[in-house]
Each structure stands twice: as C-alpha cells, then as structure tokens.
Amino acid sequence: MRNNVARDYYAILGVDRSASDQELKRAYRKLARELHPDVNPDEEAQTQFKEVTAAYEVLSDPQRRQIVDAGGDPLESRGGGGGFDGFGGLSDVFEAFFGQGFNAGGARSRGPKGRVQPGADALVRVTLDLEECAMGARKELAVDTAVLCDSCTGSGSASGAKPVRCSTCGGAGEVQSVQRSFLGQMVTARPCPTCDGAGEVVQDPCGKCAGAGRVRVRRTLTVDIPAGVGEGMRVRLAGQGEVGPGGGAAGDLYVEVRERAHPVFFRNGDDLHCTVRVPVVDAALGVTIPVTTILGEETLVEVIAGTQPGTVVELRGQGMPQVRGGARGALHVHLDVVVPTKLDHKQVEKLSEFRSMRDEEPEVVSAASSHTGGLFSRLREAFRGR
C-alpha cells in the first residue's frame, strides 16, 4: 500500500525551506561525496544516495519545488521511481567528483567545432657552420606542409557551394547514447562520425582535396638566418606553417638551428675560445701572433715576455655577434706553452749554459712558499671558491 504522506525533501538534504539554489547545490554535493557508492559501498548509503539525488532533482526544479511547498510530492506521479529519470541532479554528481563541464545525464557538452579550423605550427631544422651562425646565412629549405587547395581555394566544394548542416547530428557536432546504470540513465557523447564534429558537411567534395580544403605538398622556402644564432634557437616565419582544416589560417613555421662543431673555436654564448701553442722561448721572450677570427678577420695576440702556461688573453669584440644588437662577445685565446721534447747537441749546450746563468733549483711548492699565480696557488683559490 502506497504511503500518502509527502516526503520532506528539504529534510533529506538537510536544508531550510528557504534555502537558495546555491545552498541546495552545496548541500547535495557534500552528501554526494559522502554517500556515493564508489566512496561508501554500504547498502544503506546507496539507498540514501538515491534519496538525496531525488531530493535535489525535485528542489532544483522550480515547478516541482512549488508542488513540494504546496504539500505535494511531484515524484508520486512517477510511482516514486527514485528520481533519476530526469537527470536533474546527476550532473552535480559528476560536478562533485569531476568538476564542472558535464551536462544533465553526465555527458560533456562540446558543441560543433566548426569545419574551418586554424592550422598548426610546423618545425624544420637546419644545420649551420659556426661561420654561418656568426655572419648569418640564406638557406633554401624543403618543407612538407598542408597548403590551401588551389582547386577549391579552401572551400572544399567542387562547385564552391557552402556546407550544409549535418543530418546525422543536426549540426550539434556530436551524437549521444544513453545507457542505464545503478545511478540511472547515463548519457555519453562522441563526435559525429559523419561530419567529424564539425556540425556541417560539404555536399560536393572537391576532387583534389576530398573536401578538406587543403592538400599536403613539398615546397621550397628561402630563409634568412640572422647573424648570432646558436644551437636550439628558432627563426619564426609567420603564416608559413600548416593550413588548417577547411582552409583555415596557416600556423607559423619555425626553423630550428643546429650548430656544427668548429675545428678551432669553441663557443660559450657570445664568447669564443681557442688555443694557441706558444714555444717556450717565445713565451719567455714575448711574441706577437696573428690569429684569424670567426669572421675571417686577422687580429694580433700579444704574448708578453714571461707568459706562463695556461694564460688566457681576452680580445673583446672578436667573438660572436648578438642576435639583437650590434655588440659582439669576446675571443678568449688560451696560451699553451710548449716545452721541446727533442733537442740536438747544440741546443742542449745552449740550454745548459742558460740554466747555469739562472741559478735556479726545482722546488716543492708549499702553502708557505707558493708564489702568486703558481699551480698550488690556483688550486688553493679554486677550492676556496675564489
């Protein structure tokens, strides 16, 4: 026998009769998190979950809430069917657990994406010598991208006719299916297979692009690489990327630089480093050494008398140019003092005479007797972080 006493939906949700829509939603979300079968498998909790879902469905509907406030029960006309058929509260179950964006029944509403879409960016790589990075270069590059169909000029139609609404999805761009579960009816949505989610179709597709409005071709582009570029830097060519579906605006093309190792110079940012071997006599007496820079210019390196192994001479403005601005880095010349390994009789005689004139003896370096700039001193300063 059916109970004729109307259910107190406000009490089920634990709110006052004057509760606002936001208060109803907050109360329902709180209870849904506590009672949802995935969280609370208890059989009594499942029953309560159905009750609070039905209560929220009723009270969130202004017409049904009027019936409740008048002392009636709007679910009695459905035989007390638990309150899930209308999906009124089910969307908030998904909101409670998965966040916003689900419509009634749990299906995410996407809407048609449109047939014309912007194109993606494209990326090609080019390998440059260090000289090309320093002076800039003009390169011819073969690029494979989608371009505008020259037969239909992007419309996708052989006759130029405008696309029409898709008959399968009615222009919605998606089709829905309904499944029943312990929560009630679940609505899922997927892109329309006929229009691929565009919501419209081309009735007479172009024979060249099959209605896509774009075709993929290989083309040659001339790219001006600015001076100063380096490994991993990218040059942007606006509008030279992929043409979008339906003839949409093309993305950008990025040319990424790969820098080939140089046999003489080592690069560190805008600075260059190279090593010059100096005979021990020249290091002792001093010498001027000509060095060709990365730009092909000749510059002079002054090796002062008494130069020690490991000395670095800095030539400012002889390094790499900056990409933005006219300044250039420095060229660091590392002096490698070379001691001869093979001497003839006369050379040995002269060096022996020189040694006797210097009256110097080998010395084990200690912290107390080390000279500034010696190996021990440099190691000590390195460990001290100086």
Side-chain angles (χ1 to χ4, degrees):
M1 181 174 182
R2 182 180 298 174
N3 187 353
N4 293 324
V5 178
R7 283 172 287 189
D8 189 348
Y9 293 107
Y10 291 102
I12 293 174
L13 288 180
V15 297
D16 295 333
R17 302 183 71 85
S18 60
S20 65
D21 291 341
Q22 289 299 321
E23 291 172 333
L24 291 173
K25 182 176 291 187
R26 282 196 297 268
Y28 174 67
R29 288 181 178 177
K30 180 177 182 297
L31 292 171
R33 292 191 184 99
E34 296 174 356
L35 301 174
H36 192 279
D38 289 343
V39 177
N40 193 339
D42 183 73
E43 186 174 340
E44 182 178 352
Q46 295 183 25
T47 302
Q48 293 177 345
F49 177 72
K50 293 180 180 180
E51 289 180 354
V52 298
T53 301
Y56 179 69
E57 176 192 350
V58 169
L59 296 180
S60 61
D61 185 328
Q63 294 181 346
R64 292 181 179 181
R65 187 171 181 176
Q66 287 182 358
I67 296 175
V68 173
D69 291 342
D73 190 341
L75 296 184
E76 284 300 313
S77 61
R78 299 190 312 191
F84 291 99
D85 292 342
F87 315 115
L90 201 53
S91 63
D92 289 282
V93 175
F94 284 92
E95 268 191 48
F97 285 89
F98 307 111
Q100 297 181 351
F102 287 87
N103 64 16
R108 183 179 293 277
S109 179
R110 302 178 183 87
K113 65 180 182 181
R115 197 183 67 86
V116 180
Q117 296 289 317
D121 294 336
L123 175 68
V124 295
R125 294 180 174 87
V126 59
T127 301
L128 303 177
D129 295 328
L130 187 60
E131 290 87 351
E132 293 177 311
C133 292
M135 294 182 283
R138 172 167 289 188
K139 291 290 184 178
E140 300 287 331
L141 300 179
V143 181
D144 291 313
T145 60
V147 300
L148 197 68
C149 176
D150 57 4
S151 179
C152 65
T153 62
S155 69
S157 170
S159 63
K162 293 184 178 180
V164 298
R165 178 182 296 180
C166 175
S167 59
T168 301
C169 64
E174 61 184 17
V175 291
Q176 297 183 346
S177 59
V178 180
Q179 296 177 332
R180 300 193 65 85
S181 70
F182 70 92
L183 291 177
Q185 291 181 339
M186 299 283 292
V187 180
T188 58
R190 58 185 177 86
C192 174
T194 301
C195 64
D196 193 28
E200 54 187 14
V201 295
V202 177
Q203 290 185 307
D204 56 338
C206 169
K208 185 173 183 178
C209 66
R214 59 179 182 170
V215 292
R216 183 165 292 275
V217 300
R218 170 167 288 194
R219 55 200 172 105
T220 301
L221 292 178
T222 301
V223 183
D224 289 321
I225 308 293
V229 296
E231 177 71 24
M233 291 186 179
R234 293 181 176 182
V235 178
R236 173 175 170 265
L237 302 180
Q240 294 295 331
E242 302 275 355
V243 167
D252 297 332
L253 174 67
Y254 289 89
V255 181
E256 186 173 274
V257 173
R258 289 287 182 263
E259 185 178 292
R260 188 177 288 113
H262 195 273
V264 174
F265 297 104
F266 171 77
R267 182 176 183 177
N268 182 19
D270 293 331
D271 290 344
L272 292 176
H273 297 258
C274 71
T275 299
V276 173
R277 290 179 178 173
V278 182
V280 65
V281 175
D282 288 332
L285 301 178
V287 68
T288 300
I289 302 174
V291 173
T292 302
T293 69
I294 193 64
L295 297 181
E297 304 165 347
E298 188 174 280
T299 187
L300 297 177
V301 178
E302 294 292 337
V303 179
I304 63 175
T307 292
Q308 300 298 304
T311 298
V312 180
V313 178
E314 180 181 354
L315 304 178
R316 295 185 178 181
Q318 297 298 325
M320 296 291 291
Q322 296 179 353
V323 177
R324 296 180 179 85
R328 291 174 60 185
L331 173 59
H332 301 268
V333 181
H334 299 253
L335 301 180
D336 181 14
V337 178
V338 181
V339 178
T341 58
K342 294 182 179 181
L343 300 172
D344 58 26
H345 178 73
K346 188 174 182 179
Q347 291 170 337
V348 171
E349 189 178 89
K350 292 294 184 182
L351 283 177
S352 297
E353 182 182 349
F354 173 75
R355 181 170 59 182
S356 64
M357 293 173 59
R358 294 287 295 176
D359 192 24
E360 294 176 333
E361 295 291 338
E363 177 186 4
V364 177
V365 179
S366 65
S369 62
S370 63
H371 300 289
T372 302
L375 176 62
F376 187 89
S377 177
R378 293 199 299 270
L379 289 175
R380 181 179 59 192
E381 292 175 359
F383 281 112
R384 290 178 175 177
R386 294 175 59 183

